[in-house]
């Protein structure tokens, strides 16, 4: 079968010339001369026995045969690019994983030793970053993001865990009881100023009028809650370890808020063994996080 096909380089020249509708621009893109593009196209036409381009007024236009061939050529190059990218991704070092900073600090990093124990061959390099991700420019393989923005429709996304949130505070404040807790200082985060309003609306509770504090980052807000400065809204994975250690209490439990954390990739995650293994492990950690019950106010800790 390969002997019946024109040379691969001819297909490359054909695809560029067809896409750009110009032999000259195709030559510029491929760093060859106009004449080199023309020769490769002629090789293809002679091998196939049909004309692929019509030349009119110094421009080139695809014939019906050329129009039929172009999608197949582009699909073949796309598959080659994906396959080569996957090989390079796993032959050149660890998986590079971008993760939102607070989730990285308070949930992911404390669990990475478990990943190393369970998957010693799965090496992961973590970068703390949030928001839109350009995989090619940043050389990131995978990204964990909360779905509070629109990502590229071509991005592959797999849900790791839905987000659950609830008020969190120090044990000292929690022992005062539910009514007193909601009269404490409300701690806000500038990136989620609506978090308290959304929680009150979802739980049909009436907000008390009182003092408030606002911090720029989530980890600062949660640290303020640990210090006893007031009550913050905490996503379950971000406060899980503090609840486990007794530094924080979630007196009202947690409830779903319609958001979630997703693993994003340029390529189908299920087709990539390393990415699929990481996704499975992340989901396992997420299930463990959701299985831990919040500590009730005033309960003793061992």
């Amino acid at each position: 079968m390969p002997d019946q096909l024109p040379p691969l380089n001819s297909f490359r020249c054909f695809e560029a010339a067809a896409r750009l509708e110009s032999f000259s621009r195709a030559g510029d893109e491929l760093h060859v001369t106009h004449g080199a593009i023309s020769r490769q196209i002629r090789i293809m036409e002679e091998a196939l026995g049909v004309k692929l381009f019509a030349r009119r007024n110094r421009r080139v236009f695809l014939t019906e045969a050329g129009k039929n061939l172009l999608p197949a050529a582009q699909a073949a190059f796309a598959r080659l690019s994906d396959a080569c990218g996957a090989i390079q991704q796993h032959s050149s070092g660890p998986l590079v994983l971008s993760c939102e900073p607070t989730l990285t600090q308070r949930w992911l990093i404390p669990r990475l030793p478990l990943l190393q124990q369970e998957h010693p061959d799965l090496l992961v390099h973590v970068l703390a970053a949030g928001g839109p991700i350009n995989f090619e420019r940043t050389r990131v393989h995978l990204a964990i993001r909360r779905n509070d923005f629109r990502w590229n429709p071509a991005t592959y996304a797999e849900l790791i865990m839905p987000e659950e949130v609830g008020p969190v505070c120090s044990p000292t404040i929690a022992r005062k009881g539910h009514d007193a807790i909601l009269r404490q200082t409300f701690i806000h985060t500038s990136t989620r100023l609506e978090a308290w309003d959304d929680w009150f609306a979802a739980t049909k509770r009436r907000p008390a009028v009182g003092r408030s504090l606002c911090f720029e980052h989530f980890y600062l807000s949660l640290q303020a809650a640990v210090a006893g400065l007031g009550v913050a809204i905490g996503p379950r994975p971000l406060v899980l370890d503090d609840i486990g250690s007794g530094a924080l209490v979630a007196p009202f439990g947690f409830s779903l808020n319609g958001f979630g954390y997703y693993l994003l990739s340029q390529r189908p995650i299920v087709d990539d063994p390393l990415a699929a293994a990481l996704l499975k492990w992340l989901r396992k950690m997420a299930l463990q996080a959701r299985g831990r019950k919040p500590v009730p106010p005033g309960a003793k800790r061992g």
Side-chain angles (χ1 to χ4, degrees), residues 88-97 121-126 139-142 274:
Q88 291 172 344
Q89 173 174 311
H90 302 316
S91 64
S92 58
L95 279 175
V96 179
L97 173 66
D121 296 330
L122 181 54
L123 302 178
V124 178
H125 177 62
V126 180
R139 297 184 180 273
V140 165
H141 301 138
L142 302 165
L274 293 182

Side-chain angles (χ1 to χ4, degrees), residues 34-55:
H34 171 281
I37 297 292
S38 183
R39 283 192 296 274
Q40 292 298 325
I41 298 301
R42 187 162 57 249
I43 289 172
M44 285 196 70
E45 291 178 333
E46 290 175 355
L48 296 173
V50 295
K51 290 291 184 181
L52 299 173
F53 290 93
R55 298 156 177 83

